[in-house]
Amino acid sequence: MKKLFKVMAAAACALSLTACGGSSKKSDTLVVGAEELTGTFSPLYYTGAYDGYVIDLVYNKLMEYDVDGNLQPSLAEKTDVAKDGKTITFNLRKGVKFSDGSDFTAKDVEFSYKVVSDPSYTGRFISTCQYLEGYKEYNNKKNKKEPDYPGIEVKDDYTVVFHFTEARNDNLQSLMNISVISSNQFKDSYAYKKTKPIQDAVGKPIGTGPYVLDKWEAGTGASLKKNEKYWGDDYKGIQNVIIKPVKMETEYQELKSGNIDLLAGQIEPKKIGPASNNKDLTINHYPRGGMGYITYNTVNGATSEKEVRQALSYAFDRQSFVNSYYECKDCKDLDGVEIGYVPTTWNNPISKLGKVITGEEKVDGLTNYNYDIEKAKKLLDDAGWKVGASGFREKDGQKLEIKIMAIKDHDILNNLIPMWKKAWGEELKADVKVATVDFNTLMDKVYYDKNIEEWNVYFMATSFTDDTMSGAVTNFDSKYVGDGLDNTSRLKDEKLDSLMDAALTEMDMDKAKDKWVEAQKQVNEDVSALPVYGNTYFDFYNKKIKNLKTSALYQWTHGLRDATIE
């Protein structure tokens, strides 16, 4: 499983269409609004969902999800999972070329997965191959030369076999974390334990996908054109795609005025309402495979105490936020769609745990942190945090200080921060401090230990890229504590690690779900992360765009397969 972070910052940049090389008026050009692009267009190194747009258009995976959420052949035309669950064989598609003209073969598949297994690799897909045979030996930083890697077997130019150390119910999906990159692109620059040339080439994507990157500038966005060497018989209707930076505050006006053609993944009622009444727009909607949440720092400051995290969670009236923020009086013809809800626990809402997460399926013993300010106060009192002469709670001479790291100029945070100041500051008597930063700075602050003392709480939204229940692993397992890894709370709980491992190694998926429920009880007990909202996603687009299908695992980049522009 991998998750993508939804960029929360609004890009301060120009909206000139001609600067990106086209106009939304052209019948063969689609202009898509995106809040921020960073130019990290490598499937091995990107983190933001908007950079992911470019990657989806330029690269292919071995298998990819269809609109119904089923994995289908892509670069692999046939996939065989052995009965023991420990061996997966991919028979690769022949005649495929990268956009530079080089042939796609098993060598490129082997290369891509070896890179994310390399000891010098610093991207976030480090978990992709961790259960392959020989991974630990291959990933050893002390190696003086490249060892054998029995987990990846190239049988011939078009057959690759992956050998796992154990049967896990997400082995296949874990291999779909990354797209395949070109070994030829780095034949003269890459060597074992020297992945920097690949990281440095994030702005020069060469893939097998339907488009190629034509132009990229931070202020004006990414311009793509059809890949003349593309192997598929789809993506025929739209020749050019422009992904244009837009401000969150004005993006709907840009769509309404025709400066852009499509806004994807919209969640704000103040935009959903007008869009639902706009006869020039089409709306797709689907359950979001993700959520907005806060993460607590479990190793520094007051939030290192579980009781403090629990108290802050009880004092945060999430239901009031959802009721207020997602109220949509102007919404029309949405067939009773629930725009927002409060998730019961942190995991993938489009997995088999979906009904547990949405609250449709009740679970005994799952602490939900429904608003209870008196319980929050008592938790702090019992933990020794008493209101002192300063007017703030204190313990052992230390003030109860809550440092919030927040992304600036974001609509949701503009609503949440006053709630936290009132609940945590005025009600609980904590000294609440807020630092606002841009998205990239936030990622640096929370991902790297050098900044660990600068924050206690941060907010983020994420989207899951598959339908597994293993989404919680990288967020909570002790193995993922460390610089650049996804367990940014730094939680270490051996009991939770064991529960999650038991759920992952259960091959009966109904039994696996039951074991995940037990793991989620411990996730909630630890409360290193607290879900704030789940929601429905809305894609708004100009009616001139036809046959665009989208869903939780099939976003507009995939929907272009059949789309046309009138």
Side-chain angles (χ1 to χ4, degrees), residues 218-516:
T220 54
S223 178
L224 300 99
K225 61 183 181 181
K226 277 299 296 291
N227 176 10
E228 295 179 357
K229 298 179 177 61
Y230 178 55
W231 53 272
D233 59 0
D234 45 14
Y235 290 94
K236 293 180 178 180
I238 297 174
Q239 298 300 308
N240 304 289
V241 178
I242 296 169
I243 302 172
K244 170 175 281 306
V246 293
K247 293 183 178 181
M248 177 177 282
E249 299 90 339
T250 59
E251 60 185 1
Y252 178 70
Q253 291 304 316
E254 293 295 322
L255 177 67
K256 184 178 177 181
S257 64
N259 290 336
I260 58 176
D261 300 316
L262 185 150
L263 286 173
Q266 296 296 302
I267 67 172
E268 297 173 82
K270 65 183 181 182
K271 297 173 185 175
I272 298 168
S276 69
N277 287 277
N278 191 325
K279 296 180 179 180
D280 295 324
L281 298 178
T282 300
I283 297 180
N284 293 357
H285 59 78
Y286 44 89
R288 177 184 184 175
M291 61 181 62
Y293 62 98
I294 57 175
T295 294
Y296 295 112
N297 186 332
T298 68
V299 296
N300 183 70
T303 52
S304 63
E305 296 183 27
K306 180 172 66 175
E307 293 78 10
V308 172
R309 302 194 300 270
Q310 291 175 336
L312 295 177
S313 300
Y314 276 117
F316 177 16
D317 193 348
R318 296 175 292 159
Q319 190 63 60
S320 288
F321 165 75
V322 167
N323 292 345
S324 173
Y325 188 82
Y326 285 106
E327 183 180 20
C328 189
K329 295 179 180 179
D330 298 329
C331 287
K332 180 182 178 183
D333 297 331
L334 295 184
D335 302 323
V337 173
E338 183 180 45
I339 300 177
Y341 65 93
V342 178
T344 63
T345 188
W346 199 104
N347 208 315
N348 187 349
I350 56 173
S351 71
K352 289 179 75 68
L353 282 172
K355 289 186 177 181
V356 172
I357 294 167
T358 62
E360 297 172 68
E361 183 179 327
K362 305 301 181 183
V363 173
D364 292 336
L366 183 70
T367 304
N368 288 330
Y369 296 99
N370 296 324
Y371 177 67
D372 190 335
I373 193 67
E374 296 306 319
K375 188 168 187 176
K377 291 177 181 178
K378 187 176 187 305
L379 277 165
L380 292 177
D381 288 338
D382 292 348
W385 291 96
K386 307 290 187 179
V387 179
S390 66
F392 296 111
R393 288 184 182 266
E394 298 173 355
K395 179 179 178 180
D396 300 329
Q398 297 296 314
K399 187 166 54 177
L400 180 58
E401 184 179 66
I402 305 298
K403 292 179 283 189
I404 300 169
M405 188 71 67
I407 301 167
K408 61 185 178 181
D409 300 327
H410 185 262
D411 189 65
I412 286 179
L413 282 165
N414 289 343
N415 285 267
L416 291 177
I417 290 172
M419 291 184 67
W420 294 332
K421 286 182 176 179
K422 184 177 186 302
W424 298 343
E426 296 176 23
E427 297 281 349
L428 294 186
K429 304 303 180 185
D431 185 9
V432 178
K433 297 179 179 179
V434 180
T436 57
V437 295
D438 61 29
F439 174 77
N440 291 330
T441 301
L442 175 73
M443 299 297 279
D444 181 69
K445 295 292 187 185
V446 303
Y447 264 87
Y448 295 96
D449 288 344
K450 64 182 180 181
N451 307 307
I452 197 66
E453 296 183 0
E454 296 186 34
W455 65 278
N456 299 111
V457 179
Y458 76 89
F459 171 84
M460 183 60 65
T462 192
S463 294
F464 296 92
T465 58
D466 59 34
D467 61 351
T468 69
M469 295 175 280
S470 57
V473 174
T474 56
N475 236 53
F476 303 117
D477 194 288
S478 302
K479 293 190 293 293
Y480 297 94
V481 173
D483 277 354
L485 301 182
D486 281 349
N487 186 349
T488 55
S489 73
R490 278 74 173 174
L491 176 72
K492 292 185 178 180
D493 181 343
E494 291 183 1
K495 178 181 178 181
L496 177 57
D497 293 348
S498 178
L499 287 168
M500 291 192 294
D501 193 61
L504 278 169
T505 53
E506 174 58 67
M507 301 305 287
D508 181 313
M509 295 310 293
D510 289 329
K511 293 180 180 178
K513 177 195 168 185
D514 293 338
K515 291 183 177 182
W516 266 116

Side-chain angles (χ1 to χ4, degrees), residues 62-358:
L62 293 172
M63 301 180 73
E64 299 187 26
Y65 286 95
D66 63 19
V67 71
D68 297 317
N70 301 309
L71 280 172
Q72 300 292 346
S74 184
L75 289 178
E77 60 183 3
K78 182 182 177 184
T79 301
D80 179 64
V81 180
K83 289 183 179 180
D84 65 4
K86 295 169 61 176
T87 302
I88 301 177
T89 301
F90 294 100
N91 298 111
L92 305 180
R93 196 176 298 276
K94 298 178 180 179
V96 175
K97 291 185 179 294
F98 286 92
S99 58
D100 65 353
S102 60
D103 291 331
F104 161 73
T105 68
K107 179 181 177 182
D108 302 296
V109 177
E110 177 189 39
F111 175 73
S112 300
Y113 289 91
K114 277 189 171 182
V115 169
V116 296
S117 303
D118 193 293
S120 66
Y121 172 68
T122 58
R124 66 189 181 90
F125 296 99
I126 191 170
S127 64
T128 299
C129 299
Q130 65 174 325
Y131 295 109
L132 289 181
E133 291 183 5
Y135 170 80
K136 290 182 179 179
E137 293 77 12
Y138 194 84
N139 187 247
N140 191 337
K141 289 181 170 62
K142 296 180 180 179
N143 291 338
K144 296 188 181 301
K145 63 179 182 178
E146 182 177 6
D148 291 335
Y149 196 172
I152 307 174
E153 177 190 1
V154 175
K155 298 196 73 171
D156 56 48
D157 282 350
Y158 296 99
T159 309
V160 182
V161 184
F162 289 87
H163 300 280
F164 292 85
T165 57
E166 59 184 358
R168 298 174 74 88
N169 53 46
D170 68 341
N171 277 346
L172 176 61
Q173 287 88 343
S174 71
L175 295 176
M176 300 309 114
N177 284 346
I178 63 171
S179 299
V180 178
I181 66 172
S182 165
S183 59
N184 183 69
Q185 183 179 3
F186 302 103
K187 63 182 180 181
D188 298 322
S189 59
Y190 168 78
Y192 178 65
K193 296 180 71 174
K194 293 181 180 179
T195 55
K196 192 173 186 300
I198 301 172
Q199 185 173 4
D200 289 345
V202 295
K204 302 175 182 177
I206 295 176
T208 57
Y211 295 90
V212 295
L213 181 66
D214 185 41
K215 186 178 181 181
W216 151 249
E217 291 181 2
T220 54
S223 178
L224 300 99
K225 61 183 181 181
K226 277 299 296 291
N227 176 10
E228 295 179 357
K229 298 179 177 61
Y230 178 55
W231 53 272
D233 59 0
D234 45 14
Y235 290 94
K236 293 180 178 180
I238 297 174
Q239 298 300 308
N240 304 289
V241 178
I242 296 169
I243 302 172
K244 170 175 281 306
V246 293
K247 293 183 178 181
M248 177 177 282
E249 299 90 339
T250 59
E251 60 185 1
Y252 178 70
Q253 291 304 316
E254 293 295 322
L255 177 67
K256 184 178 177 181
S257 64
N259 290 336
I260 58 176
D261 300 316
L262 185 150
L263 286 173
Q266 296 296 302
I267 67 172
E268 297 173 82
K270 65 183 181 182
K271 297 173 185 175
I272 298 168
S276 69
N277 287 277
N278 191 325
K279 296 180 179 180
D280 295 324
L281 298 178
T282 300
I283 297 180
N284 293 357
H285 59 78
Y286 44 89
R288 177 184 184 175
M291 61 181 62
Y293 62 98
I294 57 175
T295 294
Y296 295 112
N297 186 332
T298 68
V299 296
N300 183 70
T303 52
S304 63
E305 296 183 27
K306 180 172 66 175
E307 293 78 10
V308 172
R309 302 194 300 270
Q310 291 175 336
L312 295 177
S313 300
Y314 276 117
F316 177 16
D317 193 348
R318 296 175 292 159
Q319 190 63 60
S320 288
F321 165 75
V322 167
N323 292 345
S324 173
Y325 188 82
Y326 285 106
E327 183 180 20
C328 189
K329 295 179 180 179
D330 298 329
C331 287
K332 180 182 178 183
D333 297 331
L334 295 184
D335 302 323
V337 173
E338 183 180 45
I339 300 177
Y341 65 93
V342 178
T344 63
T345 188
W346 199 104
N347 208 315
N348 187 349
I350 56 173
S351 71
K352 289 179 75 68
L353 282 172
K355 289 186 177 181
V356 172
I357 294 167
T358 62

